[in-house]
């Protein structure tokens, strides 16, 4: 990708033509007066855009941003490689000799770091590379496949984010013949549900074992001709068969995850073997630590004990090895992959990556070429927005953990695993309720204390509690069964069934006026409601014309008498690690 400098007979690295503008905090394409028009790679031929093709690219209105006019190079400065950048009106003159691409300090430099830092593993995007011409090229790189209605419709900036990351073992690309199953359409070989908290202070990366026995639901799937086909589900199947097998697409893996965890992903991203190779090479390698010598002929990994910087084929061999680490199974390989992704995260956050235009360009190329995204995430602008949200994370608050499982009791020769029913539901509840697996900031602790304070104070007698019960997403009949339980078993005689709520809610809420706080505390204690479920607001009029509270049963409702207080921290016996820690594989 070298460009020839005319009249000077020297090569110009395209990365050097991307210059940091301190006035905007973005990289800009700067060409010398005699340089070729653009270092941008020539557009490739059109891709197959069939609706059912997993490598098909979806069109999007915001896919190709308009190009602003490019300023003419400054004349009268022959031999100058980089013309002086245009100064904003009122901005001070640039000191003599100052180089345009020197990173600015202060707020503008922080803006660049915000755009490019903290992007998790495969979500490395071109958020730090500003040129519109280049963005058009990156848009052409993006491959998307329909989400088939299995997602929430895409992540939202003011909500918690759930991204499904899928690594497939399909043998695509040169040099990958020795991996995966020959002729296979691939499986969901490595799957991580990445949950990013609503306030962006923490995240949890939940690994899903490929050999976990699950129920795969029926999967409506868009075909190449635009029609829809329902691929039959399967009970008692390996999780990894939710992709590739029987024509299943990533949307089916998404439905399977929802069925398994109760968490509906916002978006998905699929990476093949080439993603590991190209992304690690783009950052100049990833540092890993081995607690012993490893020589695995199956994965082709051969490294002595100690710390190593790996990339390309060697990086792929590292994440594929399993027979030489731990107990030699997939669960041990998951821990190795979590170590690898933690190291990649630290590399992405390093200044060597963030301040290097050449690395950012390589990352942008590698990520957009190697990843397949869902149809809700099919433009560089959408990916940029996601990258900015993820960029707010601190690696010390990114926790890696695995769904708790036990050996399948139905097997004599242990080959698969099943949910650990004593632990897994609590892990799912933590994520659904946006609870951090790491210590929260002091400010968050203060906010939690304020919410918890709603439960403290005098409580009215149950006989004085007036409440209208609505069904806002709970199973049919829940409002009536709760009403009967409150009146007969709990003495809340001034309660009534108000039918269905105007809209469904994810969580059960109790709304009350300030002068009803003592009634709200009594009812919260009876129902097992947390302080966050109590919503100070206004009272409503019941059928007797008296003021009453409103209890809306949400999708989290599990039955009358079942506590609705979510867990507030991860259990101590859940195995986990954070991305800022270096762990040596054994």
């Amino acid at each position: 990708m070298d460009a020839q400098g005319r009249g000077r007979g020297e090569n110009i690295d395209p990365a050097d033509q991307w210059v940091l503008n301190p006035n905007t905090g973005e990289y800009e394409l700067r060409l010398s007066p005699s340089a070729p028009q653009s270092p941008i790679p020539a557009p490739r031929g059109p891709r197959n855009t069939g609706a059912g093709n997993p490598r098909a690219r979806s069109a999007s209105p915001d896919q190709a941003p308009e190009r602003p006019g490019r300023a003419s190079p400054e004349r009268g400065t022959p031999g100058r490689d980089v013309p002086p950048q245009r100064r904003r009106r009122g901005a001070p003159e640039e000191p003599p000799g100052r180089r345009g691409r020197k990173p600015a300090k202060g707020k503008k430099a922080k803006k660049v770091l915000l755009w490019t830092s903290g992007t998790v593993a495969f979500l490395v995007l071109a958020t730090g590379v500003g040129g519109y011409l280049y963005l058009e090229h990156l848009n052409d790189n993006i491959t998307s496949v329909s989400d088939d209605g299995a997602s929430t419709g895409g992540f939202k900036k003011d909500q918690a984010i759930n991204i499904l990351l899928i690594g497939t073992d399909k043998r695509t690309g040169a040099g990958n013949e020795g991996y995966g199953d020959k002729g296979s359409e691939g499986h969901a070989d490595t799957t991580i549900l990445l949950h990013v908290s609503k306030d962006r202070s923490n995240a949890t990366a939940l690994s899903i074992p490929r050999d976990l026995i699950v129920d795969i639901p029926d999967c409506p799937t868009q075909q190449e001709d635009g029609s829809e086909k329902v691929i039959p589900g399967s009970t008692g199947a390996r999780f990894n068969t939710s992709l590739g097998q029987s024509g299943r697409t990533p949307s089916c893996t998404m439905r399977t995850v929802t069925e398994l965890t109760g968490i509906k992903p916002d978006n998905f991203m699929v990476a093949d073997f080439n993603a590991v190779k190209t992304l690690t090479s783009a950052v100049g390698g990833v540092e890993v630590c081995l607690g012993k010598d490893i020589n695995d002929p199956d994965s082709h990994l051969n490294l002595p004990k100690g710390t190593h910087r790996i990339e390309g084929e060697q990086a792929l061999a590292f994440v594929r090895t399993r027979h030489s680490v731990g107990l030699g199974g997939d669960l041990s390989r998951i821990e190795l992959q979590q170590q690898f992704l933690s190291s990649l995260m630290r590399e992405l956050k390093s200044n060597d990556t963030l301040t290097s235009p050449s690395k950012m360009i390589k990352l942008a190329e590698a990520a957009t070429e190697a990843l397949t995204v869902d149809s809700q995430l099919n433009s560089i602008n959408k990916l940029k927005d996601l990258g900015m949200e993820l960029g707010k994370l601190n690696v010390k608050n990114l926790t890696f953990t695995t769904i708790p499982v036990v050996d399948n009791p139905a097997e004599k020769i242990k080959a698969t695993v099943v949910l650990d029913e004593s632990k897994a539901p609590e892990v799912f509840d933590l994520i659904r309720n946006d609870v951090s697996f790491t210590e929260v900031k002091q400010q968050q602790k203060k906010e939690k204390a304020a919410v918890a304070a709603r439960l403290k104070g005098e409580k009215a007698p149950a006989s004085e509690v007036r409440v209208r019960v609505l069904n806002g997403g709970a199973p049919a009949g829940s409002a009536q069964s709760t009403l009967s339980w409150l009146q007969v078993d709990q003495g809340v005689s001034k309660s009534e069934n108000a039918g269905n709520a105007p809209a469904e809610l994810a969580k059960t809420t109790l709304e009350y006026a300030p002068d009803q706080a003592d009634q709200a505390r009594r009812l919260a204690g009876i129902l097992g409601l947390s302080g966050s479920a109590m919503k100070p607001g206004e009272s409503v009029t019941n059928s007797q014309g008296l003021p009453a509270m409103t209890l809306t049963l949400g999708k989290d409702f599990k039955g009358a008498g079942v506590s609705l207080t979510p867990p507030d921290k991860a259990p101590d016996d859940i195995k986990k690690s954070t991305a800022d820690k270096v762990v040596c594989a054994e």
Side-chain angles (χ1 to χ4, degrees), residues 349-371:
K349 295 277 282 185
S350 71
N351 286 334
D352 287 345
T353 299
L354 296 174
T355 59
S356 170
S358 62
K359 282 189 178 181
M360 294 309 300
I361 289 174
K362 289 177 181 177
L363 282 169
E365 289 287 336
T368 53
E369 279 281 359
L371 301 176

Side-chain angles (χ1 to χ4, degrees), residues 5-37:
R6 295 177 186 168
R8 300 184 61 191
E10 61 180 342
N11 289 332
I12 300 174
D13 187 340
D16 290 335
Q17 295 177 310
W18 291 91
V19 181
L20 183 67
N21 184 338
N23 292 323
T24 64
E26 301 176 8
Y27 285 103
E28 297 178 353
L29 181 63
R30 301 293 179 82
L31 304 179
S32 64
S34 58
Q37 183 177 6

Side-chain angles (χ1 to χ4, degrees), residues 362-380:
K362 289 177 181 177
L363 282 169
E365 289 287 336
T368 53
E369 279 281 359
L371 301 176
T372 296
V373 299
D374 69 87
S375 48
Q376 307 294 335
L377 203 61
N378 62 355
S379 77
I380 197 66

Side-chain angles (χ1 to χ4, degrees), residues 73 97 224:
E224 289 188 20

